[in-house]
Amino acid sequence: MMEPATPESQDIDMQLASDSNNTYPEPPPRLAARFCRKTSARRKSSANSSRRSSLSSIHSHTSNRSSHGGPASTHVAQHLRRASIIESRKARLADRAAHAEQVRLRAAAAKAARGVSYSEERALAAQAAREKLLAEITARCEEEVRRAKKIAEETKERKAAELARLKEDMAEKFAEAARRKSMYQQGMRRSRTTSLAAVEEKKVSPIPLAQSSRAYAAKVIQRAWRSYRGRKVIADFSAMELDLIRARSLSFEDLTRLLSTDRTTTVTSRLLKHLDVLEDGQEAIGPVRIFLSAYLILSHPMQAFSHGGNQPQEQELMAKASTLVEAFESHMKIRPSKSRRDTTASTREALCFAFNDFSATFDAWKNQDLGVLVDVMVNSFVNLDLILQATKDDHEGHVAEDYLDAVRQEQVKLLARLKRLAGPEEALSKVRLAVRKARKQRAAEQRQKSVQQIPRASTPTNSGPSSVNGAPITPPATPQPYHRHNASKSSTFANNLGQIMTVLPSNREIAHEILINGSFEVQQRPWTDARKDLMSSLRSNMRSSMQDGNSDAAATWTHAMAILIREKVMNLVSQRHPLYDRFDGFLDPALINQQCRNGMFSYNAFFDTISGLIAQICSPGRDEIVRAFTNDTTSDTIDRLFDLINIIDLMTLDHINFQFRLASQSVMEHGHEHEVASFEKELRDGIHGLERTKQWWSSSKGVVGVNASGGVVYARGLTDLVLRNTHLCFQEVPETLQLDYIRLLKWRARAFQVVATSSILLTTKIRLRRNRESLWAKDAERLMSLNLLNVDTNRVVSLVESSHMMPDSIKEGLSNFVGRVLPPAVDAAKNADSAERDRQDAIHSQSTYRPSENEQSLGGDVFTEQIASFLLKSLREHVFARLSASGTQERVRTTTGAAEVLARAGMPEFLEEVNRLVDGLDRIRAVDLKAHGRWYDQTAGELSA
């Protein structure tokens, strides 16, 4: 049962009941600020606001609540709103984290990729640097090892030489000690006895000296006199200071004058008698002169011998003379004394043996050379007589009297020497025969000359006093003597010798070259096969003629040489030149021929004189080669002769080039007139027509269009001749450009080398992933400096690889590409070189250069590689654009934009080469249009009609 309610419980229940029906009382402000907020006073949430959690925001909420006192929100709505704010923030932070992670991953991947690439390049660079350093270290170490080995070997050799020298010195000392010991043992010595006591010595009486006899005193006096006389003889000879060193320092004339004096002969005779080389009663003049001639032979063999000491007998005589002089001077250095008496006796015996050996050899050489000397002196006598015969009829100015006195004196001297050498009777007999033969020969020459001076056309043909039965009374030509036949042979040989010199082109070609190149100079032509064969045959013929001893053939060659040298040298000096008379007299063909016939011509004297003369007229640039020719005395006569002809050829070219420089201005102004006249004459004579010119012009006009101007048509045709990708033959070149055919081939070869080189560099850039417009100037310069006539693929690849590291695969691919792109450029260079050699042969043979009709079979100079074909086409269009520029502005524009055009095409390294090509073609065009302009106008008019 329920208890009855009390009043307190009733009051509580009532309160509860009243509370449940009424609103709850507001909590204190501090609690309301934490749990309840008024809806109207609450700020709207914003995801972008940053003031939700700040103290100022909380304070504002609290103050707003406290000021308005509105009802607080429910707890559920407040927590839900807060949870949604937190979740949106978490989602936003998660998105940011994901985005940051993606950025980080991408950055890490890029960094990793870049790091790998950089690391590979750095590794390759480090490896290359390491290999280069190792190679340098290896080379340096090899050089140091090589130097150390060389020093060690030199030290070893020096020590071995010193050891050998010490051993020889010790052996000589031991031998000298043994010799002195034996001499001491063999000498007279006092017998060894016991010494007397000191006390007994005082008691011994002195032994009285034995009185010398008169015979012994006479021997002592004679010995002293002989010793004094020997010292005086040696002192007199030493006072002359005649030894081998001084003899070589003196000239040949001074030494001859010294040896031929009476004092030298007397002193030498006394010395030789003192040395027991000569006996007292023996004739001393002949042996003394033979002894003194040893110094003359050793000091000046070129002047002492007929052949300069080159023959075996002369060399044997020089060896014997050297032995004699060495034995004599070694004996003179020994001081006479009792200890050296045996040495003096041995050296005297060696001296006597050497003198006898030298005397026998000298007599044998003198007997053999005597005949040659006599013939030379006889020829000299004959030459003097011919001079008298030539001047005996000249009575003006007493020329004959002057010559008579001078010649007679020389003839008397020669005859006296001939009598001493060959004997009086034999000398007179030889002189009479030689003079009679020379006079007969001179008379026959005069008769033949008088017959040849009468022209046959001037002889009357009608009957009369001067004719018999209508036949002319002119005496028939007498048969030419042998020397006249040789004179004609000399002219033939002179022509053959002249063919080895540089032959100039025709005047038309020279004028054309000066018009194109104002500073044109003629250079010494290279040796063609024909010139080499002619050179070898001339050398062999001359050498065989002189070695066989055929004096007539040798004289013929010498005369031909004199004619050639005179013809060339006399063109270099004018009559007003101070050396003109000396050249005229020295290079007189008649005098040289006469000397050769008489055996008096000396090549050594001729070379010495001519070298001194040409040294005064040659240009400063030729001083070195002339000096080398003067100092070269060891070469044989044939080689020196051809060297002299080569020097004269160079001097002639210098003179010609100087004349070209003087005439260049006149040729530049009026040279085209000569070309116009020559071309018109060829057309008139039917040598050629204008068929090729018309075909060439028609083809060019078809390419550029019908309405193109003449300048554009010409530029198109000229560009296609040089830069088209087909073979260029002479039959396709117009007649107006036939003088420039070789030049066009050379420009074509150079352009093909440029295209091949640029193709190689462009392919390398592409394979190495480099910029195609990057400038590889050093590589281009090295590749362009190669000679295409003897270059291979490996050389080209190695040059490129030396500057740019490349893997083996790229290197192999580049090698294959070079093997495909290089042959066309090589063939173009070979075609140009072959054409130039054919032209040189034609100039050398003095014939017109006509290229062979089958030259189309040469071919090969065509690019098949796509890159090379594209570059050649780009180059051709660029050159055509620059040549066809009509106005000044367009020409300047194409020239200034050339670098950009070539860089886009992939060949930026060859701007200078292309500029030279354009300039060369422009000069050809200017000269050609000035000389053949009217024929081009005629051709254009005919084709247009």
Side-chain angles (χ1 to χ4, degrees):
M1 290 186 68
M2 296 181 57
E3 293 182 359
T6 62
E8 293 80 357
S9 63
Q10 291 178 358
D11 293 336
I12 293 171
D13 291 337
M14 290 174 64
Q15 291 177 359
L16 289 172
S18 63
D19 290 338
S20 61
N21 294 328
N22 299 328
T23 60
Y24 294 100
E26 290 185 2
R30 56 185 181 83
L31 296 179
R34 295 183 61 185
F35 297 104
C36 299
R37 293 180 183 176
K38 292 180 66 175
T39 304
S40 60
R42 184 177 301 145
R43 294 181 60 187
K44 294 182 179 180
S45 65
S46 176
N48 298 326
S49 177
S50 60
R51 297 178 66 246
R52 289 191 301 265
S53 302
S54 63
L55 295 176
S56 61
S57 178
I58 297 172
H59 178 70
S60 64
H61 287 305
T62 306
S63 61
N64 191 13
R65 179 180 177 87
S66 60
S67 60
H68 294 84
S73 303
T74 61
H75 294 283
V76 176
Q78 185 179 7
H79 282 287
L80 289 176
R81 188 177 295 110
R82 184 179 183 184
S84 65
I85 292 171
I86 292 174
E87 290 298 330
S88 64
R89 183 178 294 178
K90 286 183 180 180
R92 186 170 62 253
L93 294 176
D95 293 338
R96 287 186 179 180
H99 177 69
E101 183 66 17
Q102 291 178 0
V103 172
R104 188 184 63 78
L105 291 176
R106 287 198 302 268
K111 184 177 180 181
R114 186 169 60 253
V116 171
S117 177
Y118 287 161
S119 62
E120 290 179 355
E121 291 183 358
R122 292 177 61 185
L124 291 175
Q127 183 179 0
R130 183 167 58 255
E131 292 176 356
K132 182 178 180 181
L133 182 60
L134 290 176
E136 292 178 355
I137 293 174
T138 304
R140 196 180 302 112
C141 292
E142 289 178 355
E143 184 66 21
E144 292 293 333
V145 170
R146 193 181 301 109
R147 189 182 297 109
K149 286 184 178 180
K150 183 178 179 181
I151 294 174
E153 292 176 358
E154 292 177 354
T155 305
K156 185 177 179 180
E157 292 176 358
R158 185 173 63 254
K159 289 184 178 180
E162 291 178 357
L163 182 60
R165 183 175 57 79
L166 291 175
K167 288 183 178 180
E168 292 178 357
D169 294 341
M170 292 299 295
E172 291 178 359
K173 289 181 179 179
F174 286 145
E176 181 67 16
R179 186 184 61 78
R180 292 174 61 185
K181 181 179 179 181
S182 61
M183 291 178 60
Y184 179 78
Q185 290 177 353
Q186 293 176 2
M188 297 298 295
R189 292 185 301 160
R190 179 179 61 85
S191 59
R192 187 179 296 275
T193 57
T194 57
S195 301
L196 297 175
V199 179
E200 296 178 353
E201 284 183 358
K202 294 180 181 180
K203 298 179 180 180
V204 175
S205 60
I207 301 175
L209 294 175
Q211 222 174 12
S212 299
S213 63
R214 293 177 62 87
Y216 179 75
K219 289 182 180 180
V220 172
I221 295 173
Q222 290 176 355
R223 188 184 305 116
W225 167 250
R226 284 194 295 269
S227 177
Y228 166 75
R229 188 180 64 178
R231 289 195 301 271
K232 188 175 184 305
V233 169
I234 294 175
D236 292 341
F237 186 83
S238 301
M240 293 191 306
E241 298 180 356
L242 179 60
D243 55 2
L244 190 59
I245 298 176
R246 189 195 174 199
R248 288 175 176 172
S249 63
L250 295 176
S251 63
F252 179 75
E253 291 77 10
D254 296 339
L255 182 60
T256 305
R257 194 179 302 110
L258 175 63
L259 297 180
S260 60
T261 57
D262 295 336
R263 180 174 180 274
T264 303
T265 305
T266 304
V267 172
T268 307
S269 175
R270 293 175 183 174
L271 179 62
L272 293 179
K273 289 179 180 179
H274 171 68
L275 298 177
D276 297 335
V277 175
L278 299 178
E279 298 179 359
D280 292 335
Q282 185 179 357
E283 180 66 26
I285 299 300
V288 169
R289 292 189 181 277
I290 292 175
F291 173 79
L292 293 176
S293 64
Y295 288 96
L296 191 65
I297 289 172
L298 294 177
S299 302
H300 303 281
M302 297 297 296
Q303 291 84 356
F305 292 115
S306 302
H307 299 86
N310 296 325
Q311 288 188 347
Q313 192 171 12
E314 294 176 350
Q315 294 178 357
E316 181 183 3
L317 182 61
M318 291 179 63
K320 298 296 178 59
S322 177
T323 303
L324 174 61
V325 172
E326 289 179 359
F328 175 74
E329 292 186 351
S330 62
H331 177 76
M332 293 294 293
K333 292 179 181 179
I334 299 176
R335 299 297 180 186
S337 61
K338 293 183 179 180
S339 60
R340 297 185 178 182
R341 188 172 300 170
D342 295 338
T343 305
T344 305
S346 62
T347 55
R348 284 191 178 186
E349 292 179 1
L351 178 60
C352 293
F353 179 77
F355 177 75
N356 294 331
D357 194 8
F358 174 73
S359 299
T361 307
F362 183 84
D363 292 336
W365 167 77
K366 183 178 179 181
N367 293 331
Q368 181 180 3
D369 197 58
L370 183 62
V372 178
L373 184 60
V374 169
D375 292 339
V376 171
M377 296 176 67
V378 170
N379 292 331
S380 300
F381 192 94
V382 171
N383 291 332
L384 294 174
D385 183 74
L386 291 176
I387 294 174
L388 284 180
Q389 297 298 322
T391 59
K392 67 179 180 179
D393 297 331
D394 190 358
H395 300 289
E396 296 181 0
H398 304 283
V399 176
E401 297 178 2
D402 296 339
Y403 270 97
L404 180 63
D405 295 338
V407 169
R408 288 303 183 191
Q409 293 179 4
E410 293 297 328
Q411 284 183 339
V412 169
K413 294 179 181 179
L414 285 174
L415 191 59
R417 294 179 61 188
L418 281 172
K419 288 181 179 179
R420 278 200 310 268
L421 293 176
E425 296 181 358
E426 187 176 358
L428 292 176
S429 176
K430 287 187 176 183
V431 167
R432 290 193 187 98
L433 291 176
V435 169
R436 191 179 299 115
K437 183 178 178 181
R439 289 182 179 180
K440 288 182 179 180
Q441 188 174 359
R442 181 176 180 275
E445 288 181 0
Q446 289 181 348
R447 286 195 302 269
Q448 181 67 24
K449 186 176 181 180
S450 63
V451 170
Q452 291 179 351
Q453 285 178 352
I454 301 175
R456 293 184 183 273
S458 64
T459 304
T461 58
N462 56 342
S463 300
S466 61
S467 62
V468 179
N469 297 328
I473 64 172
T474 304
T478 57
Q480 295 181 353
Y482 180 74
H483 68 278
R484 296 299 300 175
H485 179 67
N486 287 348
S488 63
K489 289 177 62 179
S490 297
S491 62
T492 303
F493 293 154
N495 293 333
N496 292 336
L497 283 172
Q499 291 181 8
I500 68 175
M501 305 186 76
T502 302
V503 182
L504 296 179
S506 63
N507 292 336
R508 182 182 179 185
E509 295 177 352
I510 293 175
H512 184 73
E513 294 294 334
I514 294 177
L515 286 174
I516 291 182
N517 183 11
S519 59
F520 168 72
E521 291 185 354
V522 180
Q523 302 297 332
Q524 194 170 35
R525 302 292 181 184
W527 287 105
T528 58
D529 295 338
R531 294 184 69 191
K532 289 179 181 178
D533 296 340
L534 178 61
M535 182 90 166
S536 301
S537 62
L538 288 177
R539 282 179 181 268
S540 59
N541 291 337
M542 294 180 68
R543 188 169 280 110
S544 61
S545 299
M546 293 188 177
Q547 289 180 353
D548 294 343
N550 191 348
S551 59
D552 293 336
T556 303
W557 280 112
T558 306
H559 185 243
M561 175 267 299
I563 293 175
L564 175 65
I565 294 177
R566 177 183 174 83
E567 177 184 356
K568 299 297 181 181
V569 171
M570 296 306 288
N571 291 330
L572 302 178
V573 292
S574 61
Q575 294 184 358
R576 295 177 297 178
H577 198 279
L579 296 178
Y580 181 83
D581 295 334
R582 293 191 61 186
F583 277 114
D584 189 21
F586 177 70
L587 296 175
D588 187 5
L591 178 62
I592 293 177
N593 186 27
Q594 192 173 8
Q595 291 177 352
C596 294
R597 299 298 174 193
N598 299 326
M600 297 179 60
F601 185 79
S602 174
Y603 271 102
N604 294 328
F606 175 80
F607 289 144
D608 293 340
T609 306
I610 194 66
S611 62
L613 290 176
I614 64 177
Q616 303 180 45
I617 63 173
C618 68
S619 62
R622 308 299 181 188
D623 289 342
E624 184 176 355
I625 188 173
V626 173
R627 192 180 302 110
F629 171 77
T630 305
N631 298 332
D632 183 17
T633 58
T634 58
S635 301
D636 61 351
T637 303
I638 307 301
D639 293 337
R640 295 195 70 188
L641 173 61
F642 279 85
D643 292 341
L644 176 61
I645 293 176
N646 183 60
I647 293 174
I648 296 176
D649 187 18
L650 293 174
M651 293 172 60
T652 304
L653 293 181
D654 294 339
H655 180 71
I656 292 172
N657 292 328
F658 176 72
Q659 298 297 329
F660 283 169
R661 286 194 292 271
L662 295 180
S664 61
Q665 185 64 31
S666 178
V667 173
M668 294 290 290
E669 294 177 358
H670 307 287
H672 65 281
E673 299 175 0
H674 178 65
E675 173 60 24
V676 169
S678 301
F679 191 79
E680 188 174 9
K681 184 177 182 300
E682 289 181 352
L683 290 177
R684 188 169 57 252
D685 297 340
I687 298 177
H688 58 75
L690 294 174
E691 291 79 10
R692 287 182 291 173
T693 303
K694 294 178 181 179
Q695 183 179 0
W696 172 70
W697 190 273
S698 177
S699 301
S700 302
K701 192 171 184 179
V703 174
V704 297
V706 181
N707 298 324
S709 62
V712 176
V713 174
Y714 187 91
R716 180 81 267 175
L718 184 60
T719 305
D720 289 344
L721 282 177
V722 178
L723 298 176
R724 65 181 181 182
N725 199 15
T726 55
H727 176 64
L728 175 64
C729 60
F730 185 74
Q731 284 72 23
E732 298 176 354
V733 178
E735 293 85 356
T736 54
L737 289 172
Q738 60 184 0
L739 292 178
D740 297 301
Y741 174 63
I742 305 297
R743 184 175 288 102
L744 293 177
L745 287 179
K746 291 181 178 179
W747 281 122
R748 175 181 174 83
R750 190 65 177 178
F752 270 53
Q753 186 178 4
V754 169
V755 171
T757 305
S758 59
S759 301
I760 294 170
L761 296 180
L762 180 59
T763 303
T764 307
K765 294 175 186 177
I766 294 174
R767 293 175 181 269
L768 294 178
R769 297 181 181 180
R770 306 293 173 83
N771 185 8
R772 60 185 299 176
E773 297 183 7
S774 59
L775 195 63
W776 288 7
K778 295 296 183 182
D779 302 271
E781 183 179 357
R782 285 196 294 266
L783 293 180
M784 291 298 294
S785 63
L786 296 176
N787 185 7
L788 292 182
L789 298 179
N790 50 7
V791 69
D792 56 349
T793 304
N794 297 330
R795 174 63 174 166
V796 176
V797 176
S798 63
L799 287 177
V800 178
E801 187 187 10
S802 63
S803 301
H804 309 280
M805 297 295 297
M806 60 182 67
D808 294 337
S809 59
I810 296 180
K811 180 180 177 181
E812 183 178 358
L814 180 62
S815 178
N816 295 332
F817 178 79
V818 172
R820 294 191 304 270
V821 79
L822 193 61
V826 174
D827 292 337
K830 289 181 179 179
N831 293 340
D833 182 71
S834 177
E836 177 64 23
R837 283 189 283 107
D838 294 341
R839 177 173 173 269
Q840 294 297 334
D841 292 337
I843 293 175
H844 183 71
S845 60
Q846 297 182 358
S847 60
T848 304
Y849 170 62
R850 295 293 181 187
S852 58
E853 297 295 335
N854 58 352
E855 66 172 355
Q856 292 184 357
S857 60
L858 296 175
D861 53 345
V862 177
F863 285 113
T864 57
E865 196 67 28
Q866 185 176 3
I867 294 180
S869 301
F870 170 75
L871 291 178
L872 180 61
K873 181 180 178 181
S874 302
L875 178 62
R876 181 171 64 250
E877 296 304 323
H878 172 69
V879 173
F880 168 69
R882 293 178 64 174
L883 289 178
S884 61
S886 57
T888 304
Q889 294 181 356
E890 186 178 358
R891 193 176 298 112
V892 171
R893 180 181 57 82
T894 55
T895 303
T896 53
E900 184 179 356
V901 173
L902 295 176
R904 286 200 304 267
M907 44 194 309
E909 300 88 1
F910 301 97
L911 178 61
E912 295 297 330
E913 289 286 344
V914 175
N915 290 338
R916 282 194 289 268
L917 174 62
V918 173
D919 292 341
L921 296 181
D922 194 24
R923 287 196 300 269
I924 294 174
R925 177 178 62 176
V927 175
D928 187 29
L929 291 179
K930 191 173 183 180
H932 309 108
R934 65 173 182 174
W935 286 283
Y936 285 124
D937 295 338
Q938 177 184 347
T939 302
E942 292 177 359
L943 292 177
S944 299

